[in-house]
Amino acid sequence: MARDLTPGTTHRRGRLRVYLGSAPGVGKTYRMLDEAQRRQARGADVVVGYIECHGRRFTEGLVDGLEVLPRARRTYRDAEFDEMDLDAVLERRPAVVLVDELAHTNIPGGRHAKRWQDVEELLAAGIDVITTVNVQHLESLNDVVEKITGIPQRETVPDEVVRRADQIELVDMAPQALRRRMAHGNIYRAEKVDAALSNYFRVGNLTALRELALLWVAGRVDEGLRDYRASHNIDRVWETRERVVVALTGGPEGETLIRRAARIADRTAGGDLLAVHVTRSDGLAGASSGALAQQRQLVETLGGSYHVVVGDDIPTALLAFARAHDATQLVLGTSRRGRLNRFLTGPGNGQTTVDASEDIDVHMVTHEFGGRGRLPSLGRRHSRRRTVAGFASGLIVPLLLTAVLSPFRAGLNLTTDALIFQLGVVAVALLGGAVSALVASVIASALLNYFFIPPLHTFTIGETNNLVALIVFATVALAVSTVVDHAGRLTTRAARATAEAETLSTLAGSVLRGADALPALLEKCRTAFGMDSVVLLDSATAETIARSDAETGGDAEGSEREATEVPVGERAVLVLTGRRLPAADQRVLTAFAAHVAAALERDRLAVVAAEVEPIKAADRMRTALLAAVSHDLRTPLAAALASVGSLRSPDVEFSPEDQAELLAMADESLVKLTRLVDNLLDMSRLQAGALTLHLAETHLDEILPRAMDSLPDPYAPVQPLDLDTVPAVLVDPPLLERVLANVITNALRHNAPGAPVLVTASHHAERVEIRVVDRGPGIAPEDRDRVFLPFQRLGDTDNTTGVGLGLALSRGLAEAMGGSLEVEDTPGGGTTMLLTLPAAPDHDNAEAGLDVAERSIER
C-alpha cells in the first residue's frame, strides 16, 4: 500500500541506507535485493526504482516477487537508453525504493545530471532509499584509485552524500575469493574474464581498494562514536583507536620525542600522531620558534598533525587537549631541569601530568638533554597559590631571621643585621610581589628595632643614628621590593607578548601552507583558545560562512560556557563558544579576526578574478580569430573567387572539360572554406563556454589522409609510420584534422629541402603521442613558447602565407580535447612537435562513465 504523502502533508525526511563495495562484483546489489526481500516479508512497501543485474542469474533471481517500476526511455546520440523514472517513483510514493549505482551519470534530458541528486529528491519527499556504490567512486578517493589501478573514474559521488546516510554497510570480499568468483563467470561474461583478471582485478589492486574501503568506513564509524559520546556527555577516553599525543616545548629533545611517538603510533594500523605545543600566557622558558617550526615540519612529514593551545597550567592544558582528541597515549620528555632546580621548585610538569593522567598512558622518554636545564626564572606572574605563599613568607621570613641572628647579636653589628633583613625582604618580593614585601619590611623593621637596636626589647630608639638607619632600611626595602615586583611584571608582560607572537606566527604559517584559509584559521582559533566551537557568520543574514567544532562535546561539570563575539570587517562576525575569555586574550583574538577578514577578502577577490579570467581569455581568442581570417581562409577564398571569376569572364570561352575543372576547384575550395569557418566558430564558442565537443573514437590512420588533403600541397613529402599500431584516440575528428594539418604545414615550411616530414605515433598508459618530425633549423629553447603565440613566425621574412596563428590555434584545440602540444628537439637537428591525446577507453570496462561520449569545456 502506497503511503499518503500528498503535497502539503508534513512528513519526515527519508532514510538512506548505502551498501558500500570495495570492488565491482563483491555482491552489493545482491545484498540490497536480499534486504528488500526481508523488508517486504515484514510487510513493508518496497519497489525497485532501478536495478542493474549485469546478467548475473543469482542476482536476477532475487528480483522475483518485487514490484519493478518501469524505466524512462531516453534518446542520446541516436541511441536508446534506460534511466530511472524519477517522476514515476514520486507518484508511486512507496515506503522504500531500491536505486542501484548511486554514482551513475544520467542521460541528458532528466531533471538531474547525477543519480545521487535523484536520490536526494526522493529522500526529501520522505521515501526511504537503499542504494549501492563502490569505494572507487567516492570523490575524495578518485585520484588515489587512479594511481592504484591506472584507470580514471569519471563517475563520482561527493563523500558528504554517503556520509549523511543513516546506515552504511560495507560489502567486502577477500581478493582471492573475488578473483575466483570472476574466473567462474559470476561477474563478467567469459570473453572479458581474462582481461579483467590481468588488469583491474589484480590481487594488488583489489587489496588496496579493500584497505581504502575499510579505512573510509572506519572513519565514518569513528564520527558516529564521537557524536554518541558528545550527546551523552562522556568525557572518558574510549580506546577504540590508538591516538598518540606528543608534547613539544621547542627544546632540543623535540625530534627525539616526535620519532618515538611516531613509532608508537605505527605499531597499530591506523594510529594517529598529534603533536601539541602549549603556549603559556607567561611564555615558555627556552622555547624557540625556529625549533618549533622544524619540529612541526617533521611531524607533518611523518603523517601527523601539529597543534598549538594556550594555557597557564601546562599539565591541565595538555591533558585537556589529549582527552578532547581521545588520545590513548601521551609522550613527554624527561625534565631538562637539574637536581637543584627540581629540589627548589618541586614536581615539574611531567610528574604533574602523570599524576593527573588517569586513563591516558604517559610515556616519559629520556634524552641526552635531561637534567641540563637552568634555574627557573623568578620574574613570573604570581598565581593565587604563589600570592598566598608570598604573604606567608612575609610573616615567617623576618621571624626566622630574628631567631637565627639573635644568638650572634654580640658578634654582628647593626649594619650586618639590617643587610641580612634586607636580603630577606628582597626574597619575599621575588616570591610574592610588592605587597608581600611591604608586609615583610614592616615586620622586619619592628623586629630589627625590638631585638637589635639598643635599648633592646623595647621599641624605643636611644640614638639618632639608629633611627636614621632604621628609616633608611625601611625605605630601601620598600624601594627594592617595588623595583623587583615591577621587573617581574614587565617580564611577565614581555613573555605574554612572546607567547602571542608565537601563536600568531604558527597561525600564519598554517594558513600559508593550506589551500583553504578560512577552515585553517577557525581551527587554529578554536584550538589556541581552547573553545568548543568557532563560527563565522554573515552579519547581515546570520548565515554560517565557516565553522570549526571540537571533536568531542563532553564538558566538565560546572564549567561555565559563554559566547564571545568579535566583528570581522563590515560583513561578518566571529562567534566563539566555550570558556570565558580573559581580557588579556582579546588582543590575540582581535588579530585572529583581522586574519579572518583578510582571508574573506582574498576569497572575494579570487572569485572576482575567476569571473574576469574567462572574459580576458575570450578577448584574446577573438583577436586571434580575427587574425585567423587572413591566415587560414585566404587560400580557399582566393581559389574560389578565381574559379568563379574565370567562368563569368565574357572574354574567354572554356571547353566543357575546363569548365568542369574550374567548378570542381571552386567546389573544393568552398568545402574547405566551410570546414574552416565551422572550426573557427567552434573555437569562439569554446572560449565563451558554449561549445560541446563531439568526442569519438578516432583512428589516426583514418584522420591523417584527410588532414593531408587540406594541405596547401596535398602531394607534399609526408611519411606516416606506426599509425596503425596505436589504439584509437578520444577526440573531435574535425578538430584533430585541423591540428594535424597546421602542424604538418608548419613542418613542411621549415623542413630541409628534399627531406620528408615524418609522422609517428606511440602509446603510453592512457595517452597516445603523435610526433611530427622535420629536419629544419630547429627552434631555440628560449623561443619555444613564443611559437605558440599569435602573429609569431620565427625565421620567416614575409607574411605572404599568413600571420602566424596556426600553432596557436593548434595548441588551443589540442588542450580543448584534453591533450597538449609541445616542442622537442629532433635528434640530429630539426624540430619535433609532440601532440599528446587521450586514448579511447575500453568500452567493455564496466566502470566507464557516460561522459566518454561527450565533454563540455568551460573556462
Side-chain angles (χ1 to χ4, degrees):
M1 179 67 66
R3 292 181 296 177
D4 181 15
L5 291 174
T6 57
T9 302
T10 301
H11 58 268
R12 65 170 178 83
R13 178 179 171 84
R15 297 177 60 83
L16 177 62
R17 183 186 184 108
V18 177
Y19 286 95
L20 178 66
S22 57
V26 294
K28 304 179 302 301
T29 304
Y30 188 93
R31 293 282 292 275
M32 178 177 66
L33 289 170
D34 185 63
E35 173 67 13
Q37 292 284 1
R38 186 180 65 82
R39 293 196 184 194
Q40 182 169 267
R42 291 189 322 212
D45 180 22
V46 182
V47 302
V48 177
Y50 185 90
I51 200 77
E52 190 62 67
C53 296
H54 299 289
R56 300 163 189 166
R57 62 182 185 278
F58 299 109
T59 304
E60 291 173 345
L62 284 177
V63 180
D64 295 341
L66 296 174
E67 179 184 351
V68 181
L69 295 180
R71 300 183 181 183
R73 297 287 292 176
R74 293 179 189 159
T75 302
Y76 178 74
R77 306 283 302 267
D78 299 327
E80 294 288 333
F81 296 91
D82 287 337
E83 288 288 359
M84 181 180 70
D85 193 334
L86 179 60
D87 292 328
V89 178
L90 292 172
E91 182 179 358
R92 170 64 173 77
R93 291 191 178 277
V96 183
V97 61
L98 308 186
V99 181
D100 207 0
E101 298 181 354
L102 182 64
H104 172 73
T105 300
N106 290 330
I107 296 295
R111 196 151 54 242
H112 303 296
K114 295 286 187 176
R115 183 166 291 165
W116 63 262
Q117 295 172 317
D118 294 338
V119 169
E120 286 290 315
E121 184 171 344
L122 293 174
L123 294 173
I127 301 174
D128 293 346
V129 178
I130 305 178
T131 187
T132 65
V133 68
N134 279 330
V135 69
Q136 68 264 27
H137 295 299
L138 295 175
E139 183 65 45
S140 65
L141 301 178
N142 184 260
D143 56 338
V144 179
V145 172
E146 182 175 356
K147 291 178 182 178
I148 294 171
T149 64
I151 299 175
Q153 301 296 327
R154 296 178 176 85
E155 294 184 326
T156 59
V157 59
D159 289 45
E160 185 60 27
V161 173
V162 183
R163 287 184 184 278
R164 289 200 304 264
D166 300 277
Q167 289 180 283
I168 300 177
E169 183 171 333
L170 177 65
V171 183
D172 184 31
M173 180 176 291
Q176 293 79 3
L178 185 58
R179 285 172 59 85
R180 283 197 299 271
R181 176 181 286 187
M182 170 72 73
H184 293 158
N186 294 329
I187 300 178
Y188 291 160
R189 295 192 301 271
E191 62 270 17
K192 298 182 180 179
V193 170
D194 291 339
L197 290 176
S198 59
N199 290 283
Y200 192 88
F201 283 81
R202 294 194 300 267
V203 173
N205 289 357
L206 297 177
T207 303
L209 292 173
R210 188 186 192 195
E211 182 177 3
L212 286 176
L214 291 170
L215 290 175
W216 194 92
V217 173
R220 177 65 176 81
V221 172
D222 198 42
E223 292 174 5
L225 179 61
R226 287 199 298 268
D227 293 341
Y228 175 84
R229 295 181 63 228
S231 62
H232 291 76
N233 293 327
I234 299 175
D235 295 328
R236 299 189 311 275
V237 174
W238 287 6
E239 300 182 10
T240 57
R241 183 175 181 178
E242 287 292 344
R243 290 185 177 88
V244 182
V245 173
V246 54
L248 301 178
T249 65
E253 76 283 358
E255 293 188 4
T256 301
L257 301 182
I258 293 170
R259 290 189 171 91
R260 179 62 182 273
R263 290 196 296 271
I264 295 174
D266 288 341
R267 290 174 185 169
T268 56
D272 294 334
L273 173 64
L274 300 90
V276 59
H277 171 59
V278 180
T279 302
R280 294 181 54 163
S281 60
D282 61 351
L284 184 59
S288 166
S289 58
L292 285 172
Q294 294 178 354
Q295 291 168 15
R296 173 183 185 143
Q297 185 176 6
L298 177 60
V299 169
E300 293 175 348
T301 301
L302 294 173
S305 58
Y306 181 86
H307 307 264
V308 177
V309 297
V310 176
D312 290 332
D313 189 332
I314 292 179
T316 301
L318 186 59
L319 290 171
F321 175 85
R323 291 192 174 97
H325 290 79
D326 280 341
T328 56
Q329 303 189 59
L330 184 60
V331 177
L332 306 175
T334 55
S335 177
R336 297 197 305 271
R337 301 178 302 153
R339 293 182 179 179
L340 178 60
N341 194 330
R342 291 196 295 271
F343 176 77
L344 293 175
T345 59
N349 293 325
Q351 186 59 48
T352 305
T353 302
V354 171
D355 294 340
S357 62
E358 296 180 353
D359 49 359
I360 299 178
D361 297 336
V362 181
H363 300 264
M364 298 294 294
V365 179
T366 59
H367 51 86
E368 58 179 318
F369 304 99
R372 298 184 183 181
R374 300 170 295 174
L375 287 174
S377 170
L378 298 176
R380 298 177 180 174
R381 176 183 291 181
H382 311 304
S383 63
R384 179 177 298 179
R385 181 182 301 176
R386 191 163 180 178
T387 301
V388 173
F391 276 106
S393 64
L395 297 172
I396 296 173
V397 168
L399 295 175
L400 289 177
L401 290 177
T402 301
V404 171
L405 294 176
S406 292
F408 306 98
R409 188 165 42 212
L412 299 175
N413 58 28
L414 180 59
T415 302
T416 302
D417 295 333
L419 290 175
I420 293 175
F421 272 95
Q422 182 72 64
L423 180 62
V425 172
V426 172
V428 172
L430 290 172
L431 179 63
V435 178
S436 299
L438 176 62
V439 173
S441 64
V442 172
I443 296 175
S445 299
L447 292 176
L448 191 63
N449 181 14
Y450 190 84
F451 288 101
F452 298 96
I453 297 178
L456 302 179
H457 305 119
T458 67
F459 290 101
T460 303
I461 300 176
E463 297 182 8
T464 304
N465 289 339
N466 293 337
L467 176 62
V468 173
L470 184 61
I471 294 174
V472 171
F473 164 78
T475 303
V476 172
L478 288 174
V480 171
S481 60
T482 302
V483 170
V484 170
D485 181 71
H486 182 64
R489 293 184 182 278
L490 289 178
T491 302
T492 298
R493 197 172 302 166
R496 174 75 184 186
T498 301
E500 293 172 354
E502 181 180 311
T503 300
L504 293 176
S505 174
T506 303
L507 166 69
S510 174
V511 172
L512 290 175
R513 280 189 294 271
D516 196 346
L518 276 179
L521 278 165
L522 298 189
E523 175 67 12
K524 288 298 177 184
C525 182
R526 184 185 62 77
T527 57
F529 292 105
M531 306 302 285
D532 292 340
S533 66
V534 177
V535 183
L536 182 63
L537 299 176
D538 188 298
S539 55
T541 63
E543 293 181 355
T544 300
I545 300 174
R547 69 179 299 133
S548 173
D549 296 298
E551 294 186 356
T552 58
D555 300 332
E557 273 190 35
S559 60
E560 187 176 2
R561 324 312 292 165
E562 289 190 359
T564 303
E565 295 187 3
V566 182
V568 178
E570 299 178 355
R571 307 190 310 272
V573 61
L574 196 63
V575 181
L576 293 84
T577 305
R579 65 184 179 90
R580 176 181 297 176
L581 289 179
D585 288 337
Q586 293 297 323
R587 182 170 60 255
V588 182
L589 184 56
T590 302
F592 269 98
H595 278 77
V596 173
L600 278 174
E601 182 64 14
R602 185 172 62 184
D603 289 349
R604 186 188 68 81
L605 293 176
V607 171
V608 172
E611 292 173 351
V612 170
E613 185 57 33
I615 299 175
K616 292 170 59 179
D619 288 340
R620 290 194 298 267
M621 183 51 63
R622 289 190 189 99
T623 303
L625 291 176
L626 290 175
V629 172
S630 171
H631 175 62
D632 295 297
L633 306 184
R634 177 181 300 174
T635 300
L637 185 59
L641 287 174
S643 299
V644 174
S646 299
L647 289 173
R648 295 188 60 188
S649 174
D651 300 330
V652 181
E653 291 186 3
F654 294 95
S655 65
E657 293 79 11
D658 292 336
Q659 291 180 1
E661 184 178 353
L662 289 172
L663 289 173
M665 181 182 298
D667 181 74
E668 181 182 356
S669 299
L670 291 175
V671 168
K672 291 181 179 180
L673 184 62
T674 301
R675 187 185 305 151
L676 296 179
V677 170
D678 289 340
N679 289 341
L680 291 174
L681 290 176
D682 282 344
M683 282 299 297
S684 179
R685 296 189 190 100
L686 175 63
Q687 294 304 311
L691 174 66
T692 298
L693 299 179
H694 299 287
L695 304 182
E697 291 188 7
T698 305
H699 294 277
L700 297 181
D701 54 355
E702 297 175 355
I703 204 72
L704 182 61
R706 296 204 299 268
M708 294 179 62
D709 288 341
S710 62
L711 297 177
D713 180 9
Y715 302 99
V718 178
Q719 181 179 349
L721 294 175
D722 302 326
L723 298 185
D724 56 349
T725 63
V726 296
V729 291
L730 188 64
V731 295
D732 190 312
L735 295 187
L736 177 57
E737 175 187 337
R738 176 120 181 92
V739 171
L740 288 175
N742 282 341
V743 173
I744 294 174
T745 300
N746 183 75
L748 289 169
R749 182 181 300 121
H750 298 283
N751 198 22
V757 170
L758 300 181
V759 181
T760 66
S762 58
H763 179 220
H764 301 281
E766 302 297 323
R767 315 292 286 178
V768 172
E769 295 181 349
I770 305 170
R771 287 177 168 81
V772 179
V773 183
D774 68 58
R775 293 294 179 178
I779 301 175
E782 60 271 17
D783 291 331
R784 290 182 179 176
D785 288 334
R786 290 177 53 207
V787 300
F788 294 107
L789 298 176
F791 318 116
Q792 299 296 322
R793 296 180 53 80
L794 302 180
D796 284 1
T797 57
D798 63 77
N799 285 335
T800 58
T801 57
V803 293
L805 191 65
L807 291 181
L809 282 173
S810 297
R811 171 176 274 190
L813 293 173
E815 292 175 350
M817 294 184 291
S820 63
L821 182 61
E822 304 293 340
V823 180
E824 294 181 348
D825 287 328
T826 300
T831 300
T832 297
M833 288 291 177
L834 174 60
L835 175 62
T836 304
L837 298 170
D842 181 6
H843 287 295
D844 291 336
N845 188 338
E847 305 304 320
L850 169 68
D851 54 356
V852 300
E854 174 176 302
R855 182 156 56 95
S856 295
I857 306 298
E858 294 185 2
R859 294 186 180 177

